[in-house]
Amino acid sequence: MRNANMLFEISRPAYHFIIHAMAPARFQPSSIKNKIKREEVARKLKKSKNQAKLQKRLDQAKVEANDPAAKKKRISENVPRTLDNTREADPAMLSAAGPSSAQHEEFSNDIASDPFADYFNFTQDPTIPPKVLITTSAKASKGTYEFCDELVGIFPGAEFIRRKKGKGFEMGRIAGWAAGRGYKHLLVVNEDMKKPNAITLVYLPNGPMAYFKLTSIELTKQIYGHARATPHNPELVLNNFSTTLGHSVGRMFQTLFPPLPEFQGRQVVALHNQRDFLFFRRHRYAFRSPEKVALQEIGPRFTLKLRWLKRGLPAVQNFGASPDALEISVGTEELPGPPEETSMPEQDEESEMKPLEPVSVSNPPKDNEYIWRWKPELETTRKTFFL
Protein backbone atom coordinates (compact mmCIF):
# COMPACT_ATOMS: atom_id res chain seq x y z
CA MET A 1 0.00 0.00 0.00
CA ARG A 2 2.85 2.30 0.86
CA ASN A 3 4.53 1.55 -2.42
CA ALA A 4 1.29 2.31 -4.24
CA ASN A 5 0.97 5.72 -2.50
CA MET A 6 4.56 6.55 -3.39
CA LEU A 7 3.88 5.65 -6.99
CA PHE A 8 0.78 7.90 -7.01
CA GLU A 9 2.71 10.80 -5.45
CA ILE A 10 5.50 10.42 -7.96
CA SER A 11 3.23 10.11 -10.98
CA ARG A 12 0.88 13.03 -10.08
CA PRO A 13 3.18 15.84 -11.45
CA ALA A 14 3.71 13.90 -14.62
CA TYR A 15 -0.07 13.51 -14.94
CA HIS A 16 -0.63 17.26 -14.58
CA PHE A 17 2.11 17.94 -17.13
CA ILE A 18 0.40 15.69 -19.65
CA ILE A 19 -3.00 17.31 -19.02
CA HIS A 20 -1.61 20.86 -19.48
CA ALA A 21 0.24 19.83 -22.63
CA MET A 22 -2.94 18.43 -24.16
CA ALA A 23 -5.16 21.36 -23.10
CA PRO A 24 -5.71 24.13 -25.71
CA ALA A 25 -3.69 27.31 -25.28
CA ARG A 26 -6.83 29.49 -25.51
CA PHE A 27 -9.76 29.13 -23.18
CA GLN A 28 -13.03 28.30 -24.95
CA PRO A 29 -16.33 29.03 -23.13
CA SER A 30 -17.91 26.21 -25.15
CA SER A 31 -16.01 23.71 -22.99
CA ILE A 32 -18.17 24.63 -19.98
CA LYS A 33 -20.99 22.16 -19.53
CA ASN A 34 -23.35 24.39 -17.59
CA LYS A 35 -25.35 26.58 -19.98
CA ILE A 36 -25.92 29.50 -17.58
CA LYS A 37 -22.26 29.60 -16.54
CA ARG A 38 -21.15 29.24 -20.17
CA GLU A 39 -23.24 32.23 -21.30
CA GLU A 40 -22.02 34.32 -18.36
CA VAL A 41 -18.37 33.60 -19.10
CA ALA A 42 -18.83 34.28 -22.82
CA ARG A 43 -20.58 37.59 -22.05
CA LYS A 44 -17.78 38.71 -19.73
CA LEU A 45 -15.13 37.67 -22.25
CA LYS A 46 -16.84 39.63 -25.03
CA LYS A 47 -17.19 42.69 -22.79
CA SER A 48 -13.51 42.64 -21.87
CA LYS A 49 -12.50 42.40 -25.52
CA ASN A 50 -14.69 45.36 -26.47
CA GLN A 51 -13.28 47.43 -23.60
CA ALA A 52 -9.75 46.62 -24.70
CA LYS A 53 -10.51 47.65 -28.30
CA LEU A 54 -12.17 50.87 -27.13
CA GLN A 55 -9.21 51.75 -24.92
CA LYS A 56 -6.86 51.10 -27.84
CA ARG A 57 -8.86 53.45 -30.10
CA LEU A 58 -8.94 56.16 -27.41
CA ASP A 59 -5.19 55.96 -26.92
CA GLN A 60 -4.68 56.09 -30.67
CA ALA A 61 -6.97 59.12 -30.95
CA LYS A 62 -4.94 60.98 -28.31
CA VAL A 63 -1.73 60.29 -30.20
CA GLU A 64 -3.20 61.35 -33.55
CA ALA A 65 -4.67 64.53 -32.06
CA ASN A 66 -1.13 65.73 -31.32
CA ASP A 67 0.36 64.25 -34.51
CA PRO A 68 -1.84 64.63 -37.65
CA ALA A 69 0.82 62.91 -39.75
CA ALA A 70 0.29 59.68 -37.80
CA LYS A 71 -3.42 59.71 -38.65
CA LYS A 72 -2.70 60.38 -42.30
CA LYS A 73 -0.21 57.52 -42.38
CA ARG A 74 -2.67 55.12 -40.72
CA ILE A 75 -5.43 55.96 -43.21
CA SER A 76 -3.11 55.57 -46.19
CA GLU A 77 -1.88 52.18 -44.99
CA ASN A 78 -5.23 50.72 -43.88
CA VAL A 79 -7.04 50.74 -47.22
CA PRO A 80 -9.75 48.04 -47.28
CA ARG A 81 -9.77 45.65 -50.21
CA THR A 82 -13.09 45.80 -52.04
CA LEU A 83 -14.37 44.59 -55.39
CA ASP A 84 -14.23 48.15 -56.69
CA ASN A 85 -10.57 48.92 -55.93
CA THR A 86 -9.43 45.42 -56.93
CA ARG A 87 -11.28 45.27 -60.25
CA GLU A 88 -9.57 43.66 -63.20
CA ALA A 89 -7.63 45.96 -65.51
CA ASP A 90 -9.53 47.02 -68.62
CA PRO A 91 -7.80 48.51 -71.68
CA ALA A 92 -10.74 50.90 -72.07
CA MET A 93 -10.36 52.22 -68.53
CA LEU A 94 -9.19 55.80 -68.06
CA SER A 95 -6.74 56.01 -65.17
CA ALA A 96 -7.31 58.41 -62.29
CA ALA A 97 -3.92 60.04 -62.88
CA GLY A 98 -5.00 60.96 -66.40
CA PRO A 99 -4.81 59.12 -69.71
CA SER A 100 -1.60 58.84 -71.68
CA SER A 101 -0.97 61.08 -74.66
CA ALA A 102 -2.04 58.45 -77.22
CA GLN A 103 -5.06 57.42 -75.15
CA HIS A 104 -5.99 61.05 -74.56
CA GLU A 105 -5.84 61.83 -78.28
CA GLU A 106 -7.97 58.79 -79.15
CA PHE A 107 -10.46 59.63 -76.42
CA SER A 108 -10.70 63.26 -77.58
CA ASN A 109 -11.36 62.16 -81.15
CA ASP A 110 -14.09 59.79 -79.98
CA ILE A 111 -15.76 62.56 -78.00
CA ALA A 112 -15.55 65.02 -80.88
CA SER A 113 -17.17 62.55 -83.29
CA ASP A 114 -19.77 60.88 -81.08
CA PRO A 115 -23.51 61.59 -81.59
CA PHE A 116 -23.66 63.81 -78.48
CA ALA A 117 -21.10 66.36 -79.71
CA ASP A 118 -23.77 68.88 -80.75
CA TYR A 119 -25.08 69.05 -77.20
CA PHE A 120 -21.65 69.83 -75.73
CA ASN A 121 -20.81 72.40 -78.42
CA PHE A 122 -23.58 74.64 -77.00
CA THR A 123 -25.04 75.40 -80.41
CA GLN A 124 -28.45 75.96 -78.76
CA ASP A 125 -29.60 77.95 -75.75
CA PRO A 126 -28.17 76.15 -72.67
CA THR A 127 -31.13 77.19 -70.50
CA ILE A 128 -33.72 75.43 -72.71
CA PRO A 129 -34.19 71.79 -71.61
CA PRO A 130 -34.13 69.08 -74.30
CA LYS A 131 -37.54 67.66 -75.23
CA VAL A 132 -38.02 64.11 -73.97
CA LEU A 133 -40.89 61.89 -75.09
CA ILE A 134 -41.86 59.33 -72.44
CA THR A 135 -44.14 56.43 -73.27
CA THR A 136 -44.72 52.84 -72.22
CA SER A 137 -44.98 49.42 -73.75
CA ALA A 138 -48.31 48.28 -75.10
CA LYS A 139 -51.08 47.61 -72.55
CA ALA A 140 -49.29 49.17 -69.60
CA SER A 141 -50.66 49.00 -66.06
CA LYS A 142 -51.22 51.55 -63.32
CA GLY A 143 -47.82 51.07 -61.66
CA THR A 144 -46.01 51.84 -64.91
CA TYR A 145 -48.02 55.02 -65.44
CA GLU A 146 -47.19 56.17 -61.90
CA PHE A 147 -43.49 55.63 -62.57
CA CYS A 148 -43.77 57.60 -65.83
CA ASP A 149 -45.31 60.48 -63.89
CA GLU A 150 -42.21 60.47 -61.69
CA LEU A 151 -39.95 60.55 -64.75
CA VAL A 152 -41.84 63.53 -66.15
CA GLY A 153 -41.03 65.41 -62.95
CA ILE A 154 -37.34 64.48 -63.13
CA PHE A 155 -36.51 65.68 -66.65
CA PRO A 156 -37.38 69.37 -67.21
CA GLY A 157 -38.39 68.97 -70.86
CA ALA A 158 -40.24 65.67 -70.53
CA GLU A 159 -43.70 64.95 -71.90
CA PHE A 160 -45.74 61.77 -71.50
CA ILE A 161 -47.89 60.41 -74.33
CA ARG A 162 -49.92 57.26 -73.85
CA ARG A 163 -49.01 54.59 -76.36
CA LYS A 164 -51.87 53.31 -78.48
CA LYS A 165 -52.58 49.67 -79.19
CA GLY A 166 -52.32 47.90 -82.51
CA LYS A 167 -49.95 47.90 -85.45
CA GLY A 168 -48.23 51.01 -86.71
CA PHE A 169 -46.95 52.06 -83.28
CA GLU A 170 -43.62 50.23 -83.28
CA MET A 171 -40.80 51.86 -81.39
CA GLY A 172 -38.91 52.68 -84.60
CA ARG A 173 -41.88 54.54 -86.09
CA ILE A 174 -42.49 56.40 -82.82
CA ALA A 175 -38.81 57.43 -82.76
CA GLY A 176 -39.03 58.80 -86.32
CA TRP A 177 -42.27 60.59 -85.51
CA ALA A 178 -40.73 62.17 -82.38
CA ALA A 179 -37.53 63.20 -84.15
CA GLY A 180 -39.49 65.12 -86.76
CA ARG A 181 -41.24 67.10 -84.02
CA GLY A 182 -38.16 68.34 -82.21
CA TYR A 183 -37.78 65.68 -79.52
CA LYS A 184 -34.22 64.83 -78.53
CA HIS A 185 -34.94 61.62 -76.60
CA LEU A 186 -37.41 58.79 -76.58
CA LEU A 187 -37.77 56.96 -73.29
CA VAL A 188 -39.85 53.77 -73.28
CA VAL A 189 -40.72 52.07 -69.97
CA ASN A 190 -41.31 48.35 -70.32
CA GLU A 191 -43.18 46.24 -67.78
CA ASP A 192 -43.45 42.61 -66.76
CA MET A 193 -46.04 41.14 -64.39
CA LYS A 194 -47.63 44.61 -64.17
CA LYS A 195 -44.42 46.15 -62.81
CA PRO A 196 -41.88 48.33 -64.69
CA ASN A 197 -38.77 46.27 -65.31
CA ALA A 198 -36.78 47.97 -68.11
CA ILE A 199 -36.07 51.31 -69.80
CA THR A 200 -35.10 51.84 -73.44
CA LEU A 201 -33.46 55.22 -74.02
CA VAL A 202 -33.14 56.43 -77.64
CA TYR A 203 -31.15 59.50 -78.59
CA LEU A 204 -32.78 61.34 -81.49
CA PRO A 205 -32.62 61.83 -84.39
CA ASN A 206 -29.96 59.23 -85.32
CA GLY A 207 -29.30 57.19 -82.18
CA PRO A 208 -27.70 55.44 -80.36
CA MET A 209 -30.08 53.64 -78.04
CA ALA A 210 -29.50 51.84 -74.75
CA TYR A 211 -31.47 49.19 -72.89
CA PHE A 212 -31.38 49.10 -69.06
CA LYS A 213 -32.85 46.66 -66.60
CA LEU A 214 -34.89 48.49 -63.96
CA THR A 215 -35.03 47.37 -60.31
CA SER A 216 -35.49 48.66 -56.75
CA ILE A 217 -38.11 51.30 -57.56
CA GLU A 218 -39.33 53.54 -54.76
CA LEU A 219 -41.74 56.31 -55.67
CA THR A 220 -41.68 59.71 -54.01
CA LYS A 221 -44.72 58.95 -51.87
CA GLN A 222 -42.95 55.89 -50.46
CA ILE A 223 -39.98 57.91 -49.13
CA TYR A 224 -40.53 59.17 -45.59
CA GLY A 225 -39.93 62.88 -45.11
CA HIS A 226 -39.31 63.60 -48.78
CA ALA A 227 -38.99 67.12 -50.12
CA ARG A 228 -41.14 68.68 -52.79
CA ALA A 229 -39.72 69.17 -56.25
CA THR A 230 -39.69 72.54 -58.01
CA PRO A 231 -39.64 73.22 -61.77
CA HIS A 232 -36.02 74.45 -61.66
CA ASN A 233 -33.39 72.75 -63.82
CA PRO A 234 -31.38 70.48 -61.49
CA GLU A 235 -27.66 69.90 -61.27
CA LEU A 236 -26.36 66.55 -62.49
CA VAL A 237 -23.65 64.50 -60.75
CA LEU A 238 -22.19 61.51 -62.62
CA ASN A 239 -19.94 59.41 -60.42
CA ASN A 240 -17.49 56.57 -61.10
CA PHE A 241 -17.84 56.21 -64.89
CA SER A 242 -14.25 55.19 -65.61
CA THR A 243 -14.25 53.46 -69.04
CA THR A 244 -14.98 54.67 -72.55
CA LEU A 245 -18.28 52.77 -72.49
CA GLY A 246 -19.08 54.36 -69.14
CA HIS A 247 -18.32 57.82 -70.53
CA SER A 248 -20.67 57.19 -73.46
CA VAL A 249 -23.48 56.16 -71.12
CA GLY A 250 -22.79 59.12 -68.84
CA ARG A 251 -22.83 61.58 -71.74
CA MET A 252 -26.10 60.06 -72.94
CA PHE A 253 -27.70 60.72 -69.56
CA GLN A 254 -26.18 64.19 -69.49
CA THR A 255 -28.05 65.13 -72.66
CA LEU A 256 -31.35 64.56 -70.83
CA PHE A 257 -30.80 67.74 -68.80
CA PRO A 258 -30.08 71.32 -69.87
CA PRO A 259 -26.37 72.24 -69.78
CA LEU A 260 -26.97 75.22 -67.47
CA PRO A 261 -28.69 74.32 -64.16
CA GLU A 262 -30.69 76.74 -62.07
CA PHE A 263 -28.83 76.85 -58.77
CA GLN A 264 -31.57 78.77 -56.98
CA GLY A 265 -33.67 75.60 -57.07
CA ARG A 266 -31.05 73.78 -54.90
CA GLN A 267 -31.84 70.46 -56.62
CA VAL A 268 -29.27 67.85 -57.58
CA VAL A 269 -29.68 64.59 -59.50
CA ALA A 270 -27.02 61.94 -58.86
CA LEU A 271 -26.26 58.86 -60.94
CA HIS A 272 -23.74 56.74 -59.07
CA ASN A 273 -22.09 53.77 -60.77
CA GLN A 274 -21.00 50.95 -58.48
CA ARG A 275 -20.16 47.53 -59.91
CA ASP A 276 -22.05 48.46 -63.11
CA PHE A 277 -25.24 49.23 -61.20
CA LEU A 278 -26.45 52.81 -61.75
CA PHE A 279 -28.13 54.17 -58.62
CA PHE A 280 -30.44 57.12 -59.26
CA ARG A 281 -31.11 59.63 -56.46
CA ARG A 282 -32.53 63.16 -56.36
CA HIS A 283 -31.94 65.52 -53.42
CA ARG A 284 -32.30 69.13 -52.39
CA TYR A 285 -29.70 71.17 -50.56
CA ALA A 286 -30.91 72.30 -47.12
CA PHE A 287 -28.70 75.06 -45.67
CA ARG A 288 -29.00 74.70 -41.90
CA SER A 289 -26.45 77.43 -41.21
CA PRO A 290 -23.81 79.41 -43.13
CA GLU A 291 -21.31 76.60 -42.38
CA LYS A 292 -23.44 73.45 -42.57
CA VAL A 293 -25.56 71.99 -45.35
CA ALA A 294 -27.70 68.84 -45.46
CA LEU A 295 -29.42 66.84 -48.17
CA GLN A 296 -33.14 66.16 -48.20
CA GLU A 297 -34.23 63.46 -50.64
CA ILE A 298 -36.92 64.28 -53.16
CA GLY A 299 -37.30 60.95 -54.91
CA PRO A 300 -37.83 58.67 -56.69
CA ARG A 301 -35.21 55.96 -56.28
CA PHE A 302 -34.38 53.26 -58.80
CA THR A 303 -31.46 51.20 -60.06
CA LEU A 304 -30.41 50.61 -63.66
CA LYS A 305 -28.10 48.07 -65.26
CA LEU A 306 -26.97 48.35 -68.87
CA ARG A 307 -27.74 45.32 -71.04
CA TRP A 308 -26.89 46.56 -74.52
CA LEU A 309 -26.04 49.64 -76.55
CA LYS A 310 -26.98 49.83 -80.26
CA ARG A 311 -26.40 52.17 -83.16
CA GLY A 312 -29.20 54.05 -84.90
CA LEU A 313 -32.91 54.04 -84.21
CA PRO A 314 -34.96 50.99 -83.18
CA ALA A 315 -35.46 48.52 -85.99
CA VAL A 316 -38.84 47.75 -87.55
CA GLN A 317 -38.75 44.31 -89.12
CA ASN A 318 -41.79 44.56 -91.42
CA PHE A 319 -41.49 48.20 -92.43
CA GLY A 320 -41.77 48.54 -96.23
CA ALA A 321 -41.47 44.78 -96.76
CA SER A 322 -42.09 43.61 -100.31
CA PRO A 323 -45.04 41.24 -100.90
CA ASP A 324 -44.53 37.52 -101.17
CA ALA A 325 -43.32 36.21 -104.51
CA LEU A 326 -45.99 34.99 -106.91
CA GLU A 327 -46.17 31.20 -107.01
CA ILE A 328 -47.47 29.54 -110.22
CA SER A 329 -48.66 25.97 -109.97
CA VAL A 330 -48.27 23.62 -112.94
CA GLY A 331 -51.68 22.52 -114.24
CA THR A 332 -54.42 23.05 -116.80
CA GLU A 333 -56.60 25.19 -114.61
CA GLU A 334 -56.20 28.89 -115.01
CA LEU A 335 -55.54 30.94 -111.88
CA PRO A 336 -58.02 33.68 -111.18
CA GLY A 337 -56.83 37.13 -112.12
CA PRO A 338 -56.18 39.92 -109.66
CA PRO A 339 -59.22 41.72 -108.34
CA GLU A 340 -60.20 44.92 -110.02
CA GLU A 341 -58.97 48.05 -108.32
CA THR A 342 -61.65 50.13 -106.77
CA SER A 343 -61.29 53.82 -106.38
CA MET A 344 -60.93 55.00 -102.79
CA PRO A 345 -63.37 57.64 -101.65
CA GLU A 346 -61.89 61.06 -101.29
CA GLN A 347 -61.30 62.25 -97.72
CA ASP A 348 -61.59 65.73 -96.38
CA GLU A 349 -58.39 67.56 -95.56
CA GLU A 350 -59.35 67.81 -91.90
CA SER A 351 -60.01 64.08 -91.45
CA GLU A 352 -56.89 62.97 -93.31
CA MET A 353 -54.28 61.46 -90.94
CA LYS A 354 -50.84 62.93 -90.90
CA PRO A 355 -48.00 60.57 -91.85
CA LEU A 356 -46.02 59.11 -88.97
CA GLU A 357 -42.71 59.28 -90.85
CA PRO A 358 -41.39 62.84 -90.98
CA VAL A 359 -39.75 64.14 -94.09
CA SER A 360 -36.43 64.98 -92.43
CA VAL A 361 -35.91 61.48 -90.97
CA SER A 362 -35.18 58.38 -93.01
CA ASN A 363 -37.18 55.21 -92.66
CA PRO A 364 -36.40 53.11 -89.56
CA PRO A 365 -33.81 50.38 -90.12
CA LYS A 366 -34.63 46.69 -90.31
CA ASP A 367 -31.69 45.68 -88.14
CA ASN A 368 -29.34 47.25 -85.58
CA GLU A 369 -25.66 46.85 -84.90
CA TYR A 370 -24.58 46.24 -81.31
CA ILE A 371 -22.00 48.63 -79.91
CA TRP A 372 -21.85 46.61 -76.70
CA ARG A 373 -23.90 43.74 -75.35
CA TRP A 374 -23.77 42.04 -71.98
CA LYS A 375 -23.22 38.29 -71.97
CA PRO A 376 -22.71 35.96 -69.01
CA GLU A 377 -19.39 34.75 -70.35
CA LEU A 378 -17.99 38.29 -70.24
CA GLU A 379 -18.00 38.28 -66.44
CA THR A 380 -15.07 35.95 -65.91
CA THR A 381 -14.76 36.95 -62.24
CA ARG A 382 -16.67 39.00 -59.68
CA LYS A 383 -14.12 41.77 -60.22
CA THR A 384 -14.96 42.32 -63.89
CA PHE A 385 -16.81 45.56 -64.60
CA PHE A 386 -17.51 47.44 -67.83
CA LEU A 387 -18.63 50.96 -66.86
Side-chain angles (χ1 to χ4, degrees), residues 32-300:
I32 302 176
K33 302 289 184 167
N34 189 290
K35 179 182 177 181
I36 299 176
K37 189 65 177 179
R38 182 171 65 246
E39 292 179 350
E40 181 182 356
V41 172
R43 186 166 54 252
K44 290 181 179 180
L45 185 62
K46 184 178 180 180
K47 183 178 179 180
S48 63
K49 287 182 179 180
N50 293 338
Q51 289 178 347
K53 291 173 66 176
L54 176 61
Q55 188 62 36
K56 182 180 178 181
R57 288 198 299 267
L58 293 176
D59 297 340
Q60 189 176 18
K62 290 181 180 179
V63 174
E64 292 177 351
N66 300 326
D67 187 8
K71 181 178 181 180
K72 187 176 181 180
K73 180 181 179 181
R74 176 179 62 84
I75 294 176
S76 61
E77 291 178 352
N78 298 336
V79 178
R81 291 175 57 86
T82 62
L83 293 178
D84 294 321
N85 59 22
T86 58
R87 63 182 295 178
E88 291 186 347
D90 189 349
M93 185 184 300
L94 303 176
S95 61
S100 60
S101 57
Q103 189 180 17
H104 178 73
E105 183 179 358
E106 182 181 358
F107 182 65
S108 301
N109 294 335
D110 293 341
I111 288 180
S113 60
D114 70 352
F116 318 114
D118 294 338
Y119 172 87
F120 294 96
N121 292 335
F122 303 105
T123 56
Q124 299 179 358
D125 188 359
T127 59
I128 299 177
K131 294 180 65 177
V132 182
L133 175 60
I134 299 177
T135 186
T136 63
S137 58
K139 301 180 182 179
S141 59
K142 179 181 177 181
T144 304
Y145 288 130
E146 290 180 350
F147 181 68
C148 290
D149 291 339
E150 299 276 358
L151 295 179
V152 171
I154 293 172
F155 308 116
E159 178 184 1
F160 175 77
I161 298 179
R162 187 185 294 264
R163 187 170 178 177
K164 296 183 179 180
K165 303 177 183 178
K167 296 182 179 180
F169 294 95
E170 293 86 355
M171 197 184 304
R173 298 190 183 187
I174 296 176
W177 179 89
R181 284 155 180 79
Y183 290 95
K184 297 298 182 182
H185 294 85
L186 171 64
L187 195 149
V188 181
V189 180
N190 188 34
E191 72 168 26
D192 185 29
M193 303 294 292
K194 295 186 178 182
K195 293 182 180 180
N197 71 326
I199 285 180
T200 304
L201 182 60
V202 184
Y203 184 72
L204 303 176
N206 300 317
M209 58 178 177
Y211 180 79
F212 300 91
K213 294 298 292 182
L214 178 63
T215 56
S216 305
I217 301 175
E218 288 190 31
L219 303 180
T220 301
K221 62 183 180 182
Q222 297 173 338
I223 300 175
Y224 177 77
H226 65 86
R228 292 186 178 181
T230 59
H232 297 89
N233 298 336
E235 303 176 54
L236 179 63
V237 177
L238 300 174
N239 187 27
N240 204 21
F241 292 90
S242 56
T243 63
T244 54
L245 177 63
H247 276 261
S248 300
V249 174
R251 286 165 66 87
M252 191 173 188
F253 276 104
Q254 195 170 353
T255 56
L256 289 166
F257 299 89
L260 186 61
E262 296 176 349
F263 296 101
Q264 62 270 24
R266 298 181 288 112
Q267 294 183 146
V268 56
V269 172
L271 199 65
H272 174 70
N273 173 35
Q274 185 171 358
R275 304 177 190 175
D276 287 349
F277 288 93
L278 309 181
F279 297 93
F280 179 91
R281 298 292 185 271
R282 182 167 62 149
H283 295 84
R284 167 174 290 163
Y285 296 115
F287 294 96
R288 308 301 185 189
S289 66
E291 293 84 12
K292 294 183 180 180
V293 62
L295 288 176
Q296 185 181 12
E297 189 168 2
I298 300 175

Side-chain angles (χ1 to χ4, degrees), residues 363-379:
N363 294 334
K366 295 184 179 180
D367 196 5
N368 291 109
E369 178 186 358
Y370 283 100
I371 300 176
W372 181 85
R373 184 182 182 184
W374 179 85
K375 296 180 180 179
E377 54 266 22
L378 292 178
E379 294 185 354

